[in-house]
């Protein structure tokens, strides 16, 4: 009795531990219930280390535990549930490297108590099979499309059509998760939840099911589910932008841009808490950004989009064949070669323990794309070979009744293939971590330290002034380059016009080629001038045709006396070149001055440090 009482007391302490830790995170200050619910469930997922277990590994654990042979309404006691969770976590530690092993006993205790508190609030000591499958398939790691495909296989009939009664049962079970984290008033189950998801459809197939649940926005009762996956994807996304409220010079996670206030951006912490300042209001529409694009990338994307090189929109999920998804937990019915390869990569990234920068490293550098394609292709080939061997072995067993040793042989072969894939994933993860470490060192070395700013504030202000002057000169040089380009185009047109007119006059009069040009020919050549007079109706004087062109060119055409127009045009071109040369010299002088100020500031910091020592 004493031992049983101590166990019960320990279970109560473990049950309170997870909720006390979640309350310490202060998620209740988030004003939007959707973000508040997603953050709480993401915390539970990471605290129980469920984010490290991929959905396909979870399905395999269901099969190995024999749950695929049980009815959905069958009940299992807490001791068997603990055995199943132990198998899941011990298999996870076998896939993880030795440096990222998890505390299996602690993870089992936290998850077991959370599941009992969620699905056995009355204290019967039993859970249904469908409750356990729904919870673990929802809270584990992996892609949301793979989770929804598995859930559809559990709630559809033999013809691949969703049964509304089973989907209603799924909503009852999955909506107990928000209730468990005290968000039941916002996302609790109601009798109308099914019809809010499918208001008009009568026959729901797989692709329709995915379209509705992965739409933007999704059904209101499940709006927290895709947001929880987006939170996992942006936890390590870096935005080199200053928050307009807290003035933080960088953002991690989501970034929110106001659609009414120009240049007003908030980090996810300030937006979730409803902070606003200046002319901005919480009533303004905000756009959520989950990635950062430099101005150069934005410009190239805009150009590609305008030229039709970028597709207008991509479907939220691949189109699957409309065939029956049998309600079984066998990998042959749910796992396809391509999704296996993709999820292998996801498992590789998530298996490194706590959230690391490997996710952003995988998405950002283009030089790693080829390596990931090779790994995905190799994993897909292994999965295809495994599928073929499973099909062939099942065919032989049905025709000749082979002994069970063939099944164990296939299982061992699949196990060896998974071990080989795990070794490749570990090696690739080490490469990704090394690349991220070198990148962080480079960024830290390139950023100025606050000690220099405190030691030499005057020099730093002068340096900023010089850099500002440099930016102004660069903008001025860009404008002059554009003007020079336009003038050169005009000069080329005038040269062609002059040559044609000389040949025409020589052919008509037989006299000197330097005769005055006729009025009609002098106004027939269009000039690419940016000024407003370029679109006016031309008259019969050469001066009007040269509106917007000054200097030696205008002077060359302003008199009726024949002149050497070729030399005048060359003089005009030389004057433009001299102007550009002087501007470049001035820009170089500013660069030299800025570099000299940097050296002075660095030497001054070293001198001050030496004097202090």
């Amino acid at each position: 009795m004493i031992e049983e009482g101590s166990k019960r007391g320990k279970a109560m302490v473990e049950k309170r531990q997870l909720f006390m830790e979640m309350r310490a995170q202060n998620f209740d200050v988030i004003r939007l219930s959707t973000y508040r619910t997603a953050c709480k469930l993401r915390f539970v997922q990471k605290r129980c280390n469920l984010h490290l277990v991929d959905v396909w590994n979870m399905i395999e654990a269901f099969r190995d535990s024999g749950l695929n042979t049980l009815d959905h309404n069958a009940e299992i006691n807490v001791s068997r549930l603990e055995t199943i969770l132990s198998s899941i976590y011990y298999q996870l530690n076998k896939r993880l490297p030795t440096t990222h092993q998890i505390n299996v006993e602690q993870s089992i205790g936290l998850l077991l108590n959370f599941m009992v508190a969620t699905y056995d609030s009355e204290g019967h000591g039993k859970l249904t099979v469908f409750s356990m499958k729904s919870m673990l398939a929802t809270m584990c790691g992996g892609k949301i499309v793979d989770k929804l495909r598995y859930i559809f296989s559990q709630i559809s009939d033999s013809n691949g059509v969703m049964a509304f009664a089973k989907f209603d049962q799924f909503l009852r079970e999955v909506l107990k998760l928000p209730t468990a984290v005290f968000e039941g008033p916002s996302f609790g189950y109601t009798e109308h939840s099914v019809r809010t998801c499918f208001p008009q459809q009568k026959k729901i197939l797989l692709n329709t099911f995915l379209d509705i649940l992965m739409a933007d926005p999704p059904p209101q009762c499940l709006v927290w589910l895709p947001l929880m996956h987006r939170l996992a994807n942006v936890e390590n996304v870096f935005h080199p932008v200053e928050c307009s409220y807290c003035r933080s010079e960088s953002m991690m996670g989501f970034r929110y841009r106001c659609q009414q206030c120009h240049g007003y951006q908030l980090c996810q912490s300030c937006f979730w808490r409803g902070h606003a300042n200046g002319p901005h209001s919480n009533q303004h529409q905000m756009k959520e950004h989950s990635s950062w694009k430099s101005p150069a990338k934005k410009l190239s994307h805009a150009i590609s989009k305008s030229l039709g090189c970028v597709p207008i929109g991509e479907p939220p999920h691949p189109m699957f064949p409309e065939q029956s998804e049998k309600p079984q937990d066998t990998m042959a019915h749910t796992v396809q070669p391509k999704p296996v390869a993709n999820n292998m990569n996801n498992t590789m990234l998530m298996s490194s323990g706590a959230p690391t920068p490997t996710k952003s490293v995988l998405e950002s550098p283009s030089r790693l794309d080829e390596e990931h394609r090779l790994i995905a292709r190799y994993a897909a080939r292994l999965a295809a070979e495994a599928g073929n061997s499973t099909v062939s072995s099942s065919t032989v067993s049905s025709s000749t009744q082979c002994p069970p040793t063939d099944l164990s042989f296939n299982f061992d072969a699949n196990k060896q293939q998974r071990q080989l894939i795990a070794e490749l994933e570990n090696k690739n993860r080490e490469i990704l971590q090394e690349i991220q470490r070198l990148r962080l060192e480079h960024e830290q070395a390139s950023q100025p330290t606050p000690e220099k700013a405190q030691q030499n504030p005057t020099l730093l202000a002068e340096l900023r002034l010089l850099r500002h002057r440099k930016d102004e000169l660069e903008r001025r040089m860009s404008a002059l380059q554009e003007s020079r380009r336009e003038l050169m185009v005009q000069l080329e047109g005038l040269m062609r016009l002059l040559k044609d007119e000389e040949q025409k006059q020589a052919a008509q009069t037989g006299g000197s080629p330097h005769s005055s040009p006729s009025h009609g020919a002098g106004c027939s050549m269009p000039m690419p001038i940016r000024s407003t007079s370029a679109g006016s109706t031309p008259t019969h004087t050469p001066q009007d045709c040269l509106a917007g062109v000054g200097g030696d060119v205008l002077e060359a055409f302003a008199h009726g006396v024949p002149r050497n127009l070729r030399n005048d045009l060359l003089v005009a071109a030389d004057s433009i070149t001299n102007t550009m040369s002087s501007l470049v010299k001035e820009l170089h002088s500013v660069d030299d001055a800025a570099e000299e100020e940097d050296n002075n500031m660095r030497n001054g910091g070293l001198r001050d440090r030496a004097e202090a020592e």
Side-chain angles (χ1 to χ4, degrees), residues 296-430:
K297 288 185 178 180
K298 290 181 181 179
L299 179 61
S300 62
H301 181 78
I303 294 175
S304 301
K305 188 175 181 180
S306 63
L307 296 177
C309 300
V310 177
I312 298 176
E314 296 182 357
H317 64 85
M319 297 300 294
F320 297 99
E322 298 293 355
Q323 59 186 5
S324 61
E325 295 271 344
K326 295 185 179 181
Q328 299 178 5
D329 296 279
T330 57
M331 304 297 286
H333 291 291
T334 57
V335 181
Q336 300 294 332
K338 186 173 182 180
V340 166
N342 294 334
N343 285 283
M344 289 295 180
N345 291 333
N346 293 337
T347 307
M348 171 192 64
L349 295 173
M350 292 185 288
S351 63
S352 58
T356 58
T358 54
K359 177 69 178 175
S360 58
V361 172
L362 175 63
E363 295 176 349
S364 55
S366 59
R367 59 187 175 184
L368 297 178
D369 291 343
E370 182 64 24
E371 180 181 354
H372 288 286
R373 283 196 294 268
L374 291 175
I375 294 177
R377 191 181 308 148
Y378 183 73
R381 187 177 66 182
L382 290 179
E385 292 175 357
N388 293 333
S389 62
T390 305
V391 173
S392 62
S393 62
S394 62
T395 305
V396 173
S397 62
S398 61
S399 59
T400 61
Q401 297 182 353
C402 291
T405 55
D406 292 341
L407 297 177
S408 62
F409 175 78
N410 291 331
F411 180 77
D412 294 338
N414 293 336
K415 184 177 181 181
Q416 293 176 0
Q417 293 171 354
R418 287 196 298 270
Q419 290 178 353
L420 179 59
I421 294 174
E423 293 177 359
L424 294 175
E425 291 171 350
N426 292 335
K427 184 179 295 184
N428 188 47
R429 181 169 55 252
E430 293 175 359

Side-chain angles (χ1 to χ4, degrees), residues 17 44 53 177 185 266 325 342 392 425 449 464 521 543 565:
Q17 178 183 354
V44 174
V53 183
L177 293 173
L266 292 176
E325 295 271 344
N342 294 334
S392 62
E425 291 171 350
T449 59
R464 289 178 178 173
Q543 289 81 358
L565 298 180

Side-chain angles (χ1 to χ4, degrees), residues 450 555 558:
E555 184 181 358

Side-chain angles (χ1 to χ4, degrees), residues 576-586:
I576 296 173
T577 304
N578 293 333
T579 303
M580 294 299 297
S581 300
S582 62
L583 180 61
V584 171
K585 290 180 180 178
E586 184 177 357

Side-chain angles (χ1 to χ4, degrees), residues 81-125:
L81 174 61
E82 185 176 3
T83 302
I84 295 173
L85 297 182
S86 302
S87 174
I88 293 173
Y89 282 115
Y90 280 114
Q91 289 296 326
L92 172 63
N93 255 356
K94 291 180 181 180
R95 294 190 297 269
L96 294 177
T98 56
T99 55
H100 294 81
Q101 297 287 301
I102 65 170
N103 189 336
V104 174
E105 297 298 330
Q106 184 184 31
S107 300
I108 294 173
L110 291 175
L111 182 56
L112 180 63
N113 284 282
F114 179 76
M115 294 182 67
V116 171
T118 303
Y119 295 100
D120 187 29
S121 58
E122 298 180 359
H124 296 302

Side-chain angles (χ1 to χ4, degrees), residues 191-489:
E191 296 179 356
H192 306 288
S193 298
V194 176
R195 283 303 169 188
T196 57
C197 297
F198 305 100
Q200 299 177 353
Q201 293 82 359
K202 296 182 178 180
K203 183 179 180 181
I204 308 298
L205 300 177
L206 174 60
N207 290 317
T208 307
F209 180 80
L210 296 177
D211 288 338
I212 294 176
L213 267 65
M214 296 183 65
D216 189 15
Q220 180 60 31
C221 61
L222 295 174
V223 68
W224 51 269
L225 180 58
L227 179 58
M228 186 177 68
H229 286 78
R230 296 206 310 272
L231 280 173
N233 293 332
V234 302
E235 281 182 346
N236 299 292
V237 174
F238 176 76
H239 305 267
V241 183
E242 182 183 21
C243 178
S244 299
Y245 183 85
C246 66
R247 300 301 177 185
S248 175
E249 296 183 357
S250 60
M251 303 181 189
M252 295 293 291
F254 286 119
R255 173 171 55 92
Y256 297 89
R257 176 186 289 273
C258 181
Q259 300 300 294
Q260 299 182 28
C261 305
H262 177 69
Y264 193 90
Q265 302 189 80
L266 292 176
C267 62
Q268 67 177 22
S269 177
C270 293
F271 175 75
W272 290 354
R273 286 158 177 78
H275 295 323
N277 58 347
H280 178 70
S281 171
N282 289 331
Q283 304 301 322
H284 291 180
Q285 184 180 2
M286 303 288 286
K287 185 176 181 181
E288 183 181 274
H289 295 272
S290 58
S291 62
W292 163 257
K293 289 184 180 180
S294 62
K297 288 185 178 180
K298 290 181 181 179
L299 179 61
S300 62
H301 181 78
I303 294 175
S304 301
K305 188 175 181 180
S306 63
L307 296 177
C309 300
V310 177
I312 298 176
E314 296 182 357
H317 64 85
M319 297 300 294
F320 297 99
E322 298 293 355
Q323 59 186 5
S324 61
E325 295 271 344
K326 295 185 179 181
Q328 299 178 5
D329 296 279
T330 57
M331 304 297 286
H333 291 291
T334 57
V335 181
Q336 300 294 332
K338 186 173 182 180
V340 166
N342 294 334
N343 285 283
M344 289 295 180
N345 291 333
N346 293 337
T347 307
M348 171 192 64
L349 295 173
M350 292 185 288
S351 63
S352 58
T356 58
T358 54
K359 177 69 178 175
S360 58
V361 172
L362 175 63
E363 295 176 349
S364 55
S366 59
R367 59 187 175 184
L368 297 178
D369 291 343
E370 182 64 24
E371 180 181 354
H372 288 286
R373 283 196 294 268
L374 291 175
I375 294 177
R377 191 181 308 148
Y378 183 73
R381 187 177 66 182
L382 290 179
E385 292 175 357
N388 293 333
S389 62
T390 305
V391 173
S392 62
S393 62
S394 62
T395 305
V396 173
S397 62
S398 61
S399 59
T400 61
Q401 297 182 353
C402 291
T405 55
D406 292 341
L407 297 177
S408 62
F409 175 78
N410 291 331
F411 180 77
D412 294 338
N414 293 336
K415 184 177 181 181
Q416 293 176 0
Q417 293 171 354
R418 287 196 298 270
Q419 290 178 353
L420 179 59
I421 294 174
E423 293 177 359
L424 294 175
E425 291 171 350
N426 292 335
K427 184 179 295 184
N428 188 47
R429 181 169 55 252
E430 293 175 359
I431 295 174
L432 292 175
Q433 292 176 352
E434 181 66 18
I435 291 175
Q436 180 65 11
R437 184 184 65 81
L438 295 176
R439 177 174 297 175
L440 293 176
E441 291 180 357
H442 176 70
E443 292 178 354
Q444 294 175 359
S446 60
Q447 294 179 354
T449 59
E451 297 178 356
K452 296 181 181 179
Q454 295 176 359
Q455 293 175 359
N456 302 279
T458 305
L459 294 177
L460 185 59
E462 294 179 357
L463 180 60
R464 289 178 178 173
L465 182 61
L466 289 174
R467 288 177 178 173
H468 181 67
R469 176 61 176 166
K470 175 186 175 183
D471 294 338
E472 291 181 354
L473 291 175
E474 287 179 348
R475 289 192 294 268
R476 181 182 171 191
M477 187 176 74
S478 299
L480 288 176
Q481 286 178 344
E482 182 65 21
S483 300
R484 180 176 179 270
R485 185 187 65 80
E486 294 179 357
L487 288 174
M488 294 302 294
V489 172

